[in-house]
Amino acid sequence: MTQLDDRTASTADTDARASHRPRPRAEKIPAGELAEVSMTVNGAEVTVSVPARVHLADVLREHLGLTGTHLGCEHGVCGMCTVLVDGDAARACLLFAVQCDGAEIVTVEGLGTAEEQHPLQQAFSAHHGLQCGFCTPGMLMSSYDLLANPPGETEEELPEQMSGVLCRCTGYRGILAAVSDVAEAYPDGPPAPGNCGARTLVGRGGGRGPAGSADDEGVETGPALPTEVRIPVGAPSATVSVTSALSSPIDDVWPVLEDFDQLARCLPGAQLVEVLGDDRYRGRATVALGPVKLSFEGLAQVVEHDRDDHRMKVLAQGADKSGSATQAVITLAAVPDEGAEGGTRLQADAELYLSGRIAQFGRALAGDVSRRMFEQFADAVDETARTGTAPEVGSGPSPVAIAAAALRDAVGRGLRSARARIREAVRRRRERR
């Protein structure tokens, strides 16, 4: 590598370019009032309403759910919160969000996907340029800026150029080797970030789209609903596939699935709130994962509806006031059950995308809870098809009970697996004797 940039690594130079260029506003913002800030984040246009002294890092993490931007010292020293602002690296903890009105922001989430990693991410993985991973987002964004804006420095100066982001566990050697490899492979600059595009960003805060709303008395009513459901790019947090045998004939089952009011009543914890038209429905759902019980306000949109094949595809998304967000792609398909005369086999497949607190419980638990909910859903559909009466709202199985059962199953599987490992270890020890 022969050309490297000191603009990213130098804390003073980097942050001087970004933090000393506040964008003019038409009016002053009185203390205690919120300011509307519009910007483009990873290719998505967002608007948030925040106090004037909230910094960019908090908006990214709390309001937009982009928790890849880590906060360390919050004094601009450690570099963990480095992002790109209008193409230049900047400390997100030193920038007020209002300074970024109209700016284009790229965070580590916009760099690449799990399936198509950016060359920098691939190089960090190949050289094991990470250990605990806390500094990795800042290292990636800083090194991207370092390679994208070469001033003519030499490879020997690379440690100094990367010194603007601190790491406490790798010793830096793998990081330096990764950056050096990418610089050699792309002498004219690294490829552009590969995961930027229009999508819905949902977090903890308020504003438009990913933001909250208020009623006529100014009381916050929770996240505002988007006009359409947008599913994130990349791999889902969990996938679920449940096949259920129903005793009711398909001609009785399918009308239940087509009636969104009955369908919602059959789903544990769900409730239809409003029919919006254009195959869009506003709803409410209560979900429990472990000790955490969340109430989601959301939108469901039917994107495929084939009466002849008895198949339906629904996109859904919702947000909780605590900062959790979910998106899902749900496919329901019904076919006559050849093994049970007059019965129906109901296939439910779902791809789940989780962010915020709900994502901290892991894919296995989320999948177990969702699987149990679909099993209960199938039982309720069968009962509704047989009796012609859907369950009353809130009369179905408790989401907490479903989560508790899923937890018991998970613990049971863990214990069985542990016992199997112990038996295998004992067997091998006896064989060695």
Side-chain angles (χ1 to χ4, degrees), residues 48-70:
V48 293
S49 295
V50 294
R53 296 185 65 82
V54 168
H55 56 59
L56 176 61
D58 274 346
V59 168
L60 294 174
R61 291 178 56 83
E62 306 297 325
H63 293 254
L64 302 180
L66 297 171
T67 54
T69 300
H70 292 168

Side-chain angles (χ1 to χ4, degrees), residues 4 37 74 120 199 207 211 219 255 275 315 335 338 365 373 413:
L4 292 170
V37 180
E74 298 193 65
L120 271 169
R199 72 198 71 186
V219 179
V275 178
L315 307 183
V335 297
E338 298 178 355
L365 180 57
M373 290 182 68
R413 286 197 303 272

Side-chain angles (χ1 to χ4, degrees), residues 108-119:
V108 69
E109 288 91 346
L111 202 57
T113 67
E115 294 77 17
E116 297 184 20
Q117 292 184 327
H118 190 274

